[in-house]
Structure formats: structure tokens, C-alpha cells
Amino acid sequence: QVQLEESGGGLVQAGGSLRLSCAVSRRTFSNYVMGWFRQAPGKERELVAVISWSGRRISYADSVKGRFTISRDNAKNTVYLQMSSLKAEDTAVYYCEASSRIGASALRDFDYWGQGTQVTVSS
């Protein structure tokens, strides 16, 4: 079983920055593709960013390209999401998710997720 715990959410003004962290309780963390997803009220959960086990393959949703950066530290079993130039439309619950599937890139590919952390951007 893989357990994930997100942290770092909060209230920030538009234009500000936040850094989300996700601690994973699994010694084989480095074998998992990791992703950040978000879900705004009344909307479906959407992919924000994905990072391969090695960190060499990264993809972003078009809406966050150039503003968000995903990274991972396999020695610490942790994945991060650095968010800058935040906008009101970035307001959502952000979820960290893990997949054992090579090349995972869609929500359906991910098997484990945390409780989520709320990010609220005031305009």
C-alpha cells in the first residue's frame, strides 16, 4: 500500500507563490511516476503536472506551463510542486498521485492519491 500526504497549501494573493510537498511512504518511491492533479468546486479533477521516476520526463497542463514546476527527491520520497504567478483560476484542492505504470499521463493511470491540500488564490 502506498500512502501519500500533501502539505503546503494555503491562501495567497494573485501573483504570489506556493510550494506544495507530497511525502510518500514507500521505499520503492523511485519506481513510481508521480503527478499533481487539482479539482476545483463543480469541476472534474484535472492533471497539472507529471514527472517520471527518474525526473527526466516531465509534462504540464497548458494552463500552468511556465508558472509551475514539478520536481522530486527520491532520497526523501518526496515530490514537489512550485507554483508561481498564481491566478484566481488556480484555486482548487491539489492532489498528489502515484502510478506504477511507465508513461502514466492521465488520471486513469494513477492508483494512489492523498487527501489533498487546498490552494486558494485571492484576486
Side-chain angles (χ1 to χ4, degrees), residues 32-71:
Y32 287 83
V33 174
M34 298 300 300
W36 284 98
F37 293 77
R38 67 185 182 187
Q39 188 165 17
K43 295 187 177 181
E44 294 185 351
R45 192 172 300 190
E46 62 175 1
L47 182 144
V48 175
V50 176
I51 186 168
S52 65
W53 66 270
S54 67
R56 289 196 289 265
R57 297 180 69 178
I58 292 174
S59 62
Y60 296 98
D62 288 343
S63 59
V64 306
K65 282 181 180 177
R67 301 188 298 121
F68 289 12
T69 302
I70 189 172
S71 62

PDB file of all heavy atoms in Angstrom, residues 32-71:
ATOM      1  N   TYR A  32       7.900   4.890  -8.979  1.00  0.00           N
ATOM      2  CA  TYR A  32       6.588   5.417  -9.319  1.00  0.00           C
ATOM      3  C   TYR A  32       6.666   6.701 -10.130  1.00  0.00           C
ATOM      4  O   TYR A  32       7.476   7.592  -9.851  1.00  0.00           O
ATOM      5  CB  TYR A  32       5.776   5.697  -8.048  1.00  0.00           C
ATOM      6  CG  TYR A  32       5.284   4.433  -7.367  1.00  0.00           C
ATOM      7  CD1 TYR A  32       6.106   3.728  -6.508  1.00  0.00           C
ATOM      8  CD2 TYR A  32       4.000   3.955  -7.611  1.00  0.00           C
ATOM      9  CE1 TYR A  32       5.661   2.558  -5.906  1.00  0.00           C
ATOM     10  CE2 TYR A  32       3.545   2.805  -7.003  1.00  0.00           C
ATOM     11  CZ  TYR A  32       4.375   2.106  -6.152  1.00  0.00           C
ATOM     12  OH  TYR A  32       3.943   0.959  -5.559  1.00  0.00           O
ATOM     13  N   VAL A  33       5.795   6.781 -11.116  1.00  0.00           N
ATOM     14  CA  VAL A  33       5.527   8.051 -11.774  1.00  0.00           C
ATOM     15  C   VAL A  33       4.657   8.863 -10.818  1.00  0.00           C
ATOM     16  O   VAL A  33       3.718   8.333 -10.225  1.00  0.00           O
ATOM     17  CB  VAL A  33       4.776   7.844 -13.108  1.00  0.00           C
ATOM     18  CG1 VAL A  33       4.373   9.184 -13.717  1.00  0.00           C
ATOM     19  CG2 VAL A  33       5.629   7.032 -14.078  1.00  0.00           C
ATOM     20  N   MET A  34       4.985  10.118 -10.651  1.00  0.00           N
ATOM     21  CA  MET A  34       4.246  10.962  -9.710  1.00  0.00           C
ATOM     22  C   MET A  34       3.553  12.096 -10.463  1.00  0.00           C
ATOM     23  O   MET A  34       4.081  12.636 -11.440  1.00  0.00           O
ATOM     24  CB  MET A  34       5.189  11.549  -8.671  1.00  0.00           C
ATOM     25  CG  MET A  34       5.894  10.515  -7.809  1.00  0.00           C
ATOM     26  SD  MET A  34       4.751   9.481  -6.874  1.00  0.00           S
ATOM     27  CE  MET A  34       3.901  10.706  -5.877  1.00  0.00           C
ATOM     28  N   GLY A  35       2.373  12.432  -9.969  1.00  0.00           N
ATOM     29  CA  GLY A  35       1.630  13.501 -10.612  1.00  0.00           C
ATOM     30  C   GLY A  35       0.946  14.398  -9.612  1.00  0.00           C
ATOM     31  O   GLY A  35       0.645  13.975  -8.492  1.00  0.00           O
ATOM     32  N   TRP A  36       0.728  15.611 -10.011  1.00  0.00           N
ATOM     33  CA  TRP A  36      -0.109  16.540  -9.261  1.00  0.00           C
ATOM     34  C   TRP A  36      -1.370  16.782 -10.079  1.00  0.00           C
ATOM     35  O   TRP A  36      -1.299  17.051 -11.287  1.00  0.00           O
ATOM     36  CB  TRP A  36       0.603  17.866  -9.017  1.00  0.00           C
ATOM     37  CG  TRP A  36       1.649  17.820  -7.948  1.00  0.00           C
ATOM     38  CD1 TRP A  36       2.995  17.677  -8.102  1.00  0.00           C
ATOM     39  CD2 TRP A  36       1.420  17.907  -6.531  1.00  0.00           C
ATOM     40  NE1 TRP A  36       3.623  17.681  -6.889  1.00  0.00           N
ATOM     41  CE2 TRP A  36       2.676  17.814  -5.899  1.00  0.00           C
ATOM     42  CE3 TRP A  36       0.277  18.069  -5.738  1.00  0.00           C
ATOM     43  CZ2 TRP A  36       2.828  17.874  -4.514  1.00  0.00           C
ATOM     44  CZ3 TRP A  36       0.423  18.124  -4.365  1.00  0.00           C
ATOM     45  CH2 TRP A  36       1.686  18.030  -3.769  1.00  0.00           C
ATOM     46  N   PHE A  37      -2.489  16.679  -9.411  1.00  0.00           N
ATOM     47  CA  PHE A  37      -3.782  16.943 -10.015  1.00  0.00           C
ATOM     48  C   PHE A  37      -4.494  17.989  -9.178  1.00  0.00           C
ATOM     49  O   PHE A  37      -4.104  18.238  -8.038  1.00  0.00           O
ATOM     50  CB  PHE A  37      -4.621  15.658 -10.071  1.00  0.00           C
ATOM     51  CG  PHE A  37      -4.067  14.613 -10.992  1.00  0.00           C
ATOM     52  CD1 PHE A  37      -2.973  13.840 -10.617  1.00  0.00           C
ATOM     53  CD2 PHE A  37      -4.630  14.393 -12.236  1.00  0.00           C
ATOM     54  CE1 PHE A  37      -2.446  12.879 -11.469  1.00  0.00           C
ATOM     55  CE2 PHE A  37      -4.122  13.432 -13.093  1.00  0.00           C
ATOM     56  CZ  PHE A  37      -3.030  12.684 -12.702  1.00  0.00           C
ATOM     57  N   ARG A  38      -5.539  18.572  -9.714  1.00  0.00           N
ATOM     58  CA  ARG A  38      -6.326  19.527  -8.933  1.00  0.00           C
ATOM     59  C   ARG A  38      -7.797  19.414  -9.299  1.00  0.00           C
ATOM     60  O   ARG A  38      -8.145  18.989 -10.404  1.00  0.00           O
ATOM     61  CB  ARG A  38      -5.834  20.950  -9.150  1.00  0.00           C
ATOM     62  CG  ARG A  38      -6.040  21.502 -10.549  1.00  0.00           C
ATOM     63  CD  ARG A  38      -5.388  22.881 -10.679  1.00  0.00           C
ATOM     64  NE  ARG A  38      -5.599  23.472 -12.008  1.00  0.00           N
ATOM     65  CZ  ARG A  38      -5.020  24.597 -12.420  1.00  0.00           C
ATOM     66  NH1 ARG A  38      -4.190  25.265 -11.592  1.00  0.00           N
ATOM     67  NH2 ARG A  38      -5.251  25.070 -13.628  1.00  0.00           N
ATOM     68  N   GLN A  39      -8.619  19.800  -8.338  1.00  0.00           N
ATOM     69  CA  GLN A  39     -10.059  19.753  -8.562  1.00  0.00           C
ATOM     70  C   GLN A  39     -10.687  20.991  -7.951  1.00  0.00           C
ATOM     71  O   GLN A  39     -10.616  21.199  -6.738  1.00  0.00           O
ATOM     72  CB  GLN A  39     -10.668  18.493  -7.957  1.00  0.00           C
ATOM     73  CG  GLN A  39     -12.120  18.291  -8.312  1.00  0.00           C
ATOM     74  CD  GLN A  39     -12.594  16.884  -8.005  1.00  0.00           C
ATOM     75  OE1 GLN A  39     -11.960  16.135  -7.262  1.00  0.00           O
ATOM     76  NE2 GLN A  39     -13.717  16.502  -8.587  1.00  0.00           N
ATOM     77  N   ALA A  40     -11.282  21.791  -8.801  1.00  0.00           N
ATOM     78  CA  ALA A  40     -11.991  22.984  -8.351  1.00  0.00           C
ATOM     79  C   ALA A  40     -13.456  22.630  -8.103  1.00  0.00           C
ATOM     80  O   ALA A  40     -13.956  21.647  -8.662  1.00  0.00           O
ATOM     81  CB  ALA A  40     -11.879  24.079  -9.404  1.00  0.00           C
ATOM     82  N   PRO A  41     -14.149  23.404  -7.289  1.00  0.00           N
ATOM     83  CA  PRO A  41     -15.564  23.120  -6.997  1.00  0.00           C
ATOM     84  C   PRO A  41     -16.389  23.009  -8.268  1.00  0.00           C
ATOM     85  O   PRO A  41     -16.314  23.882  -9.139  1.00  0.00           O
ATOM     86  CB  PRO A  41     -15.988  24.320  -6.153  1.00  0.00           C
ATOM     87  CG  PRO A  41     -14.735  24.793  -5.514  1.00  0.00           C
ATOM     88  CD  PRO A  41     -13.655  24.568  -6.532  1.00  0.00           C
ATOM     89  N   GLY A  42     -17.149  21.933  -8.375  1.00  0.00           N
ATOM     90  CA  GLY A  42     -18.019  21.743  -9.526  1.00  0.00           C
ATOM     91  C   GLY A  42     -17.323  21.310 -10.793  1.00  0.00           C
ATOM     92  O   GLY A  42     -17.959  21.206 -11.849  1.00  0.00           O
ATOM     93  N   LYS A  43     -16.027  21.039 -10.705  1.00  0.00           N
ATOM     94  CA  LYS A  43     -15.277  20.634 -11.892  1.00  0.00           C
ATOM     95  C   LYS A  43     -14.642  19.268 -11.690  1.00  0.00           C
ATOM     96  O   LYS A  43     -14.488  18.810 -10.567  1.00  0.00           O
ATOM     97  CB  LYS A  43     -14.197  21.673 -12.221  1.00  0.00           C
ATOM     98  CG  LYS A  43     -14.754  23.026 -12.627  1.00  0.00           C
ATOM     99  CD  LYS A  43     -13.652  23.943 -13.102  1.00  0.00           C
ATOM    100  CE  LYS A  43     -14.202  25.272 -13.586  1.00  0.00           C
ATOM    101  NZ  LYS A  43     -13.116  26.167 -14.072  1.00  0.00           N
ATOM    102  N   GLU A  44     -14.249  18.636 -12.792  1.00  0.00           N
ATOM    103  CA  GLU A  44     -13.574  17.357 -12.712  1.00  0.00           C
ATOM    104  C   GLU A  44     -12.110  17.553 -12.318  1.00  0.00           C
ATOM    105  O   GLU A  44     -11.533  18.610 -12.528  1.00  0.00           O
ATOM    106  CB  GLU A  44     -13.656  16.640 -14.071  1.00  0.00           C
ATOM    107  CG  GLU A  44     -15.066  16.245 -14.474  1.00  0.00           C
ATOM    108  CD  GLU A  44     -15.087  15.436 -15.759  1.00  0.00           C
ATOM    109  OE1 GLU A  44     -14.042  15.331 -16.415  1.00  0.00           O
ATOM    110  OE2 GLU A  44     -16.164  14.909 -16.104  1.00  0.00           O
ATOM    111  N   ARG A  45     -11.561  16.481 -11.744  1.00  0.00           N
ATOM    112  CA  ARG A  45     -10.146  16.522 -11.402  1.00  0.00           C
ATOM    113  C   ARG A  45      -9.331  16.569 -12.695  1.00  0.00           C
ATOM    114  O   ARG A  45      -9.609  15.831 -13.637  1.00  0.00           O
ATOM    115  CB  ARG A  45      -9.757  15.302 -10.573  1.00  0.00           C
ATOM    116  CG  ARG A  45      -8.390  15.402  -9.938  1.00  0.00           C
ATOM    117  CD  ARG A  45      -8.122  14.263  -8.973  1.00  0.00           C
ATOM    118  NE  ARG A  45      -9.074  14.227  -7.876  1.00  0.00           N
ATOM    119  CZ  ARG A  45      -8.935  13.437  -6.812  1.00  0.00           C
ATOM    120  NH1 ARG A  45      -7.887  12.631  -6.712  1.00  0.00           N
ATOM    121  NH2 ARG A  45      -9.854  13.445  -5.876  1.00  0.00           N
ATOM    122  N   GLU A  46      -8.318  17.432 -12.709  1.00  0.00           N
ATOM    123  CA  GLU A  46      -7.508  17.586 -13.918  1.00  0.00           C
ATOM    124  C   GLU A  46      -6.027  17.468 -13.595  1.00  0.00           C
ATOM    125  O   GLU A  46      -5.576  17.801 -12.497  1.00  0.00           O
ATOM    126  CB  GLU A  46      -7.774  18.942 -14.583  1.00  0.00           C
ATOM    127  CG  GLU A  46      -7.408  20.143 -13.739  1.00  0.00           C
ATOM    128  CD  GLU A  46      -7.572  21.454 -14.469  1.00  0.00           C
ATOM    129  OE1 GLU A  46      -7.989  21.452 -15.644  1.00  0.00           O
ATOM    130  OE2 GLU A  46      -7.261  22.507 -13.863  1.00  0.00           O
ATOM    131  N   LEU A  47      -5.291  16.992 -14.582  1.00  0.00           N
ATOM    132  CA  LEU A  47      -3.859  16.841 -14.418  1.00  0.00           C
ATOM    133  C   LEU A  47      -3.184  18.198 -14.455  1.00  0.00           C
ATOM    134  O   LEU A  47      -3.525  19.054 -15.286  1.00  0.00           O
ATOM    135  CB  LEU A  47      -3.309  15.946 -15.534  1.00  0.00           C
ATOM    136  CG  LEU A  47      -1.816  15.635 -15.486  1.00  0.00           C
ATOM    137  CD1 LEU A  47      -1.572  14.208 -15.971  1.00  0.00           C
ATOM    138  CD2 LEU A  47      -1.018  16.609 -16.309  1.00  0.00           C
ATOM    139  N   VAL A  48      -2.228  18.397 -13.559  1.00  0.00           N
ATOM    140  CA  VAL A  48      -1.445  19.625 -13.516  1.00  0.00           C
ATOM    141  C   VAL A  48      -0.036  19.366 -14.051  1.00  0.00           C
ATOM    142  O   VAL A  48       0.450  20.078 -14.921  1.00  0.00           O
ATOM    143  CB  VAL A  48      -1.375  20.197 -12.088  1.00  0.00           C
ATOM    144  CG1 VAL A  48      -0.452  21.402 -12.035  1.00  0.00           C
ATOM    145  CG2 VAL A  48      -2.775  20.536 -11.575  1.00  0.00           C
ATOM    146  N   ALA A  49       0.612  18.332 -13.504  1.00  0.00           N
ATOM    147  CA  ALA A  49       1.978  18.028 -13.911  1.00  0.00           C
ATOM    148  C   ALA A  49       2.294  16.576 -13.574  1.00  0.00           C
ATOM    149  O   ALA A  49       1.751  16.020 -12.620  1.00  0.00           O
ATOM    150  CB  ALA A  49       2.972  18.946 -13.218  1.00  0.00           C
ATOM    151  N   VAL A  50       3.179  15.990 -14.375  1.00  0.00           N
ATOM    152  CA  VAL A  50       3.608  14.611 -14.169  1.00  0.00           C
ATOM    153  C   VAL A  50       5.119  14.541 -14.287  1.00  0.00           C
ATOM    154  O   VAL A  50       5.703  15.225 -15.133  1.00  0.00           O
ATOM    155  CB  VAL A  50       2.969  13.664 -15.206  1.00  0.00           C
ATOM    156  CG1 VAL A  50       3.498  12.244 -15.034  1.00  0.00           C
ATOM    157  CG2 VAL A  50       1.462  13.666 -15.074  1.00  0.00           C
ATOM    158  N   ILE A  51       5.740  13.697 -13.465  1.00  0.00           N
ATOM    159  CA  ILE A  51       7.185  13.530 -13.516  1.00  0.00           C
ATOM    160  C   ILE A  51       7.506  12.043 -13.476  1.00  0.00           C
ATOM    161  O   ILE A  51       6.935  11.291 -12.686  1.00  0.00           O
ATOM    162  CB  ILE A  51       7.878  14.296 -12.367  1.00  0.00           C
ATOM    163  CG1 ILE A  51       9.401  14.244 -12.504  1.00  0.00           C
ATOM    164  CG2 ILE A  51       7.415  13.791 -11.002  1.00  0.00           C
ATOM    165  CD1 ILE A  51      10.116  15.222 -11.577  1.00  0.00           C
ATOM    166  N   SER A  52       8.422  11.617 -14.327  1.00  0.00           N
ATOM    167  CA  SER A  52       8.803  10.208 -14.379  1.00  0.00           C
ATOM    168  C   SER A  52       9.623   9.832 -13.159  1.00  0.00           C
ATOM    169  O   SER A  52      10.044  10.692 -12.371  1.00  0.00           O
ATOM    170  CB  SER A  52       9.607   9.937 -15.652  1.00  0.00           C
ATOM    171  OG  SER A  52      10.843  10.647 -15.611  1.00  0.00           O
ATOM    172  N   TRP A  53       9.886   8.540 -13.014  1.00  0.00           N
ATOM    173  CA  TRP A  53      10.612   8.075 -11.841  1.00  0.00           C
ATOM    174  C   TRP A  53      12.003   8.686 -11.763  1.00  0.00           C
ATOM    175  O   TRP A  53      12.527   8.937 -10.689  1.00  0.00           O
ATOM    176  CB  TRP A  53      10.694   6.551 -11.840  1.00  0.00           C
ATOM    177  CG  TRP A  53      11.519   5.995 -12.957  1.00  0.00           C
ATOM    178  CD1 TRP A  53      11.085   5.638 -14.201  1.00  0.00           C
ATOM    179  CD2 TRP A  53      12.929   5.756 -12.952  1.00  0.00           C
ATOM    180  NE1 TRP A  53      12.129   5.201 -14.968  1.00  0.00           N
ATOM    181  CE2 TRP A  53      13.270   5.242 -14.232  1.00  0.00           C
ATOM    182  CE3 TRP A  53      13.941   5.907 -12.003  1.00  0.00           C
ATOM    183  CZ2 TRP A  53      14.569   4.892 -14.563  1.00  0.00           C
ATOM    184  CZ3 TRP A  53      15.237   5.550 -12.346  1.00  0.00           C
ATOM    185  CH2 TRP A  53      15.533   5.061 -13.615  1.00  0.00           C
ATOM    186  N   SER A  54      12.615   8.927 -12.921  1.00  0.00           N
ATOM    187  CA  SER A  54      13.976   9.473 -12.946  1.00  0.00           C
ATOM    188  C   SER A  54      13.991  10.993 -12.861  1.00  0.00           C
ATOM    189  O   SER A  54      15.026  11.601 -12.600  1.00  0.00           O
ATOM    190  CB  SER A  54      14.679   9.049 -14.227  1.00  0.00           C
ATOM    191  OG  SER A  54      14.054   9.659 -15.350  1.00  0.00           O
ATOM    192  N   GLY A  55      12.841  11.601 -13.125  1.00  0.00           N
ATOM    193  CA  GLY A  55      12.773  13.054 -13.154  1.00  0.00           C
ATOM    194  C   GLY A  55      13.124  13.648 -14.497  1.00  0.00           C
ATOM    195  O   GLY A  55      13.062  14.872 -14.676  1.00  0.00           O
ATOM    196  N   ARG A  56      13.484  12.812 -15.450  1.00  0.00           N
ATOM    197  CA  ARG A  56      13.924  13.330 -16.750  1.00  0.00           C
ATOM    198  C   ARG A  56      12.764  13.615 -17.696  1.00  0.00           C
ATOM    199  O   ARG A  56      12.923  14.363 -18.660  1.00  0.00           O
ATOM    200  CB  ARG A  56      14.888  12.340 -17.398  1.00  0.00           C
ATOM    201  CG  ARG A  56      16.250  12.286 -16.715  1.00  0.00           C
ATOM    202  CD  ARG A  56      17.278  11.606 -17.596  1.00  0.00           C
ATOM    203  NE  ARG A  56      17.022  10.178 -17.707  1.00  0.00           N
ATOM    204  CZ  ARG A  56      17.627   9.275 -16.927  1.00  0.00           C
ATOM    205  NH1 ARG A  56      18.481   9.663 -16.016  1.00  0.00           N
ATOM    206  NH2 ARG A  56      17.381   7.986 -17.088  1.00  0.00           N
ATOM    207  N   ARG A  57      11.614  13.001 -17.431  1.00  0.00           N
ATOM    208  CA  ARG A  57      10.461  13.249 -18.293  1.00  0.00           C
ATOM    209  C   ARG A  57       9.392  13.957 -17.483  1.00  0.00           C
ATOM    210  O   ARG A  57       8.916  13.443 -16.462  1.00  0.00           O
ATOM    211  CB  ARG A  57       9.939  11.932 -18.856  1.00  0.00           C
ATOM    212  CG  ARG A  57      10.951  11.233 -19.741  1.00  0.00           C
ATOM    213  CD  ARG A  57      10.425   9.937 -20.278  1.00  0.00           C
ATOM    214  NE  ARG A  57       9.344  10.143 -21.244  1.00  0.00           N
ATOM    215  CZ  ARG A  57       8.738   9.148 -21.885  1.00  0.00           C
ATOM    216  NH1 ARG A  57       9.082   7.906 -21.649  1.00  0.00           N
ATOM    217  NH2 ARG A  57       7.777   9.403 -22.750  1.00  0.00           N
ATOM    218  N   ILE A  58       9.030  15.144 -17.932  1.00  0.00           N
ATOM    219  CA  ILE A  58       8.076  15.995 -17.226  1.00  0.00           C
ATOM    220  C   ILE A  58       7.076  16.543 -18.231  1.00  0.00           C
ATOM    221  O   ILE A  58       7.447  16.892 -19.361  1.00  0.00           O
ATOM    222  CB  ILE A  58       8.801  17.155 -16.504  1.00  0.00           C
ATOM    223  CG1 ILE A  58       9.647  16.626 -15.338  1.00  0.00           C
ATOM    224  CG2 ILE A  58       7.805  18.197 -16.017  1.00  0.00           C
ATOM    225  CD1 ILE A  58      10.495  17.687 -14.661  1.00  0.00           C
ATOM    226  N   SER A  59       5.846  16.640 -17.819  1.00  0.00           N
ATOM    227  CA  SER A  59       4.839  17.278 -18.659  1.00  0.00           C
ATOM    228  C   SER A  59       3.932  18.131 -17.785  1.00  0.00           C
ATOM    229  O   SER A  59       3.757  17.859 -16.595  1.00  0.00           O
ATOM    230  CB  SER A  59       4.020  16.246 -19.431  1.00  0.00           C
ATOM    231  OG  SER A  59       3.318  15.398 -18.552  1.00  0.00           O
ATOM    232  N   TYR A  60       3.358  19.159 -18.397  1.00  0.00           N
ATOM    233  CA  TYR A  60       2.493  20.104 -17.689  1.00  0.00           C
ATOM    234  C   TYR A  60       1.215  20.336 -18.479  1.00  0.00           C
ATOM    235  O   TYR A  60       1.198  20.259 -19.712  1.00  0.00           O
ATOM    236  CB  TYR A  60       3.191  21.455 -17.518  1.00  0.00           C
ATOM    237  CG  TYR A  60       4.424  21.433 -16.666  1.00  0.00           C
ATOM    238  CD1 TYR A  60       5.688  21.359 -17.250  1.00  0.00           C
ATOM    239  CD2 TYR A  60       4.338  21.495 -15.280  1.00  0.00           C
ATOM    240  CE1 TYR A  60       6.831  21.336 -16.467  1.00  0.00           C
ATOM    241  CE2 TYR A  60       5.485  21.475 -14.489  1.00  0.00           C
ATOM    242  CZ  TYR A  60       6.719  21.398 -15.097  1.00  0.00           C
ATOM    243  OH  TYR A  60       7.846  21.376 -14.313  1.00  0.00           O
ATOM    244  N   ALA A  61       0.175  20.677 -17.754  1.00  0.00           N
ATOM    245  CA  ALA A  61      -1.029  21.172 -18.410  1.00  0.00           C
ATOM    246  C   ALA A  61      -0.702  22.529 -19.035  1.00  0.00           C
ATOM    247  O   ALA A  61       0.104  23.291 -18.492  1.00  0.00           O
ATOM    248  CB  ALA A  61      -2.159  21.317 -17.402  1.00  0.00           C
ATOM    249  N   ASP A  62      -1.319  22.817 -20.146  1.00  0.00           N
ATOM    250  CA  ASP A  62      -1.046  24.087 -20.822  1.00  0.00           C
ATOM    251  C   ASP A  62      -1.318  25.288 -19.922  1.00  0.00           C
ATOM    252  O   ASP A  62      -0.635  26.312 -20.006  1.00  0.00           O
ATOM    253  CB  ASP A  62      -1.903  24.197 -22.099  1.00  0.00           C
ATOM    254  CG  ASP A  62      -1.434  23.265 -23.198  1.00  0.00           C
ATOM    255  OD1 ASP A  62      -0.285  22.782 -23.125  1.00  0.00           O
ATOM    256  OD2 ASP A  62      -2.222  23.020 -24.133  1.00  0.00           O
ATOM    257  N   SER A  63      -2.289  25.147 -19.050  1.00  0.00           N
ATOM    258  CA  SER A  63      -2.704  26.260 -18.194  1.00  0.00           C
ATOM    259  C   SER A  63      -1.666  26.647 -17.153  1.00  0.00           C
ATOM    260  O   SER A  63      -1.743  27.748 -16.586  1.00  0.00           O
ATOM    261  CB  SER A  63      -4.028  25.922 -17.501  1.00  0.00           C
ATOM    262  OG  SER A  63      -3.886  24.752 -16.720  1.00  0.00           O
ATOM    263  N   VAL A  64      -0.693  25.762 -16.903  1.00  0.00           N
ATOM    264  CA  VAL A  64       0.302  26.057 -15.862  1.00  0.00           C
ATOM    265  C   VAL A  64       1.726  26.136 -16.402  1.00  0.00           C
ATOM    266  O   VAL A  64       2.652  26.450 -15.647  1.00  0.00           O
ATOM    267  CB  VAL A  64       0.236  25.023 -14.714  1.00  0.00           C
ATOM    268  CG1 VAL A  64      -1.185  24.928 -14.157  1.00  0.00           C
ATOM    269  CG2 VAL A  64       0.755  23.670 -15.147  1.00  0.00           C
ATOM    270  N   LYS A  65       1.912  25.858 -17.671  1.00  0.00           N
ATOM    271  CA  LYS A  65       3.252  25.900 -18.257  1.00  0.00           C
ATOM    272  C   LYS A  65       3.890  27.264 -18.057  1.00  0.00           C
ATOM    273  O   LYS A  65       3.257  28.292 -18.271  1.00  0.00           O
ATOM    274  CB  LYS A  65       3.184  25.569 -19.750  1.00  0.00           C
ATOM    275  CG  LYS A  65       3.039  24.102 -20.056  1.00  0.00           C
ATOM    276  CD  LYS A  65       3.005  23.852 -21.561  1.00  0.00           C
ATOM    277  CE  LYS A  65       2.853  22.370 -21.862  1.00  0.00           C
ATOM    278  NZ  LYS A  65       2.738  22.119 -23.314  1.00  0.00           N
ATOM    279  N   GLY A  66       5.146  27.244 -17.627  1.00  0.00           N
ATOM    280  CA  GLY A  66       5.862  28.485 -17.396  1.00  0.00           C
ATOM    281  C   GLY A  66       5.643  29.092 -16.023  1.00  0.00           C
ATOM    282  O   GLY A  66       6.335  30.037 -15.640  1.00  0.00           O
ATOM    283  N   ARG A  67       4.667  28.553 -15.290  1.00  0.00           N
ATOM    284  CA  ARG A  67       4.367  29.077 -13.947  1.00  0.00           C
ATOM    285  C   ARG A  67       4.610  28.050 -12.851  1.00  0.00           C
ATOM    286  O   ARG A  67       4.984  28.412 -11.739  1.00  0.00           O
ATOM    287  CB  ARG A  67       2.918  29.546 -13.878  1.00  0.00           C
ATOM    288  CG  ARG A  67       2.553  30.637 -14.876  1.00  0.00           C
ATOM    289  CD  ARG A  67       1.159  31.198 -14.613  1.00  0.00           C
ATOM    290  NE  ARG A  67       0.115  30.179 -14.762  1.00  0.00           N
ATOM    291  CZ  ARG A  67      -0.737  29.828 -13.786  1.00  0.00           C
ATOM    292  NH1 ARG A  67      -0.640  30.392 -12.586  1.00  0.00           N
ATOM    293  NH2 ARG A  67      -1.670  28.913 -14.005  1.00  0.00           N
ATOM    294  N   PHE A  68       4.387  26.779 -13.163  1.00  0.00           N
ATOM    295  CA  PHE A  68       4.534  25.710 -12.169  1.00  0.00           C
ATOM    296  C   PHE A  68       5.732  24.842 -12.535  1.00  0.00           C
ATOM    297  O   PHE A  68       6.037  24.636 -13.713  1.00  0.00           O
ATOM    298  CB  PHE A  68       3.295  24.823 -12.145  1.00  0.00           C
ATOM    299  CG  PHE A  68       2.064  25.455 -11.571  1.00  0.00           C
ATOM    300  CD1 PHE A  68       1.982  26.813 -11.316  1.00  0.00           C
ATOM    301  CD2 PHE A  68       0.955  24.680 -11.268  1.00  0.00           C
ATOM    302  CE1 PHE A  68       0.832  27.397 -10.791  1.00  0.00           C
ATOM    303  CE2 PHE A  68      -0.194  25.232 -10.731  1.00  0.00           C
ATOM    304  CZ  PHE A  68      -0.255  26.590 -10.513  1.00  0.00           C
ATOM    305  N   THR A  69       6.379  24.302 -11.501  1.00  0.00           N
ATOM    306  CA  THR A  69       7.490  23.386 -11.705  1.00  0.00           C
ATOM    307  C   THR A  69       7.340  22.179 -10.796  1.00  0.00           C
ATOM    308  O   THR A  69       7.222  22.337  -9.568  1.00  0.00           O
ATOM    309  CB  THR A  69       8.833  24.075 -11.404  1.00  0.00           C
ATOM    310  OG1 THR A  69       8.990  25.230 -12.240  1.00  0.00           O
ATOM    311  CG2 THR A  69       9.990  23.125 -11.655  1.00  0.00           C
ATOM    312  N   ILE A  70       7.358  21.004 -11.381  1.00  0.00           N
ATOM    313  CA  ILE A  70       7.303  19.759 -10.604  1.00  0.00           C
ATOM    314  C   ILE A  70       8.715  19.214 -10.473  1.00  0.00           C
ATOM    315  O   ILE A  70       9.529  19.313 -11.401  1.00  0.00           O
ATOM    316  CB  ILE A  70       6.358  18.727 -11.262  1.00  0.00           C
ATOM    317  CG1 ILE A  70       6.145  17.526 -10.339  1.00  0.00           C
ATOM    318  CG2 ILE A  70       6.874  18.296 -12.628  1.00  0.00           C
ATOM    319  CD1 ILE A  70       5.067  16.551 -10.835  1.00  0.00           C
ATOM    320  N   SER A  71       9.013  18.663  -9.306  1.00  0.00           N
ATOM    321  CA  SER A  71      10.317  18.048  -9.077  1.00  0.00           C
ATOM    322  C   SER A  71      10.154  16.935  -8.054  1.00  0.00           C
ATOM    323  O   SER A  71       9.117  16.837  -7.397  1.00  0.00           O
ATOM    324  CB  SER A  71      11.337  19.085  -8.604  1.00  0.00           C
ATOM    325  OG  SER A  71      10.934  19.661  -7.368  1.00  0.00           O
TER     326      SER A  71
END
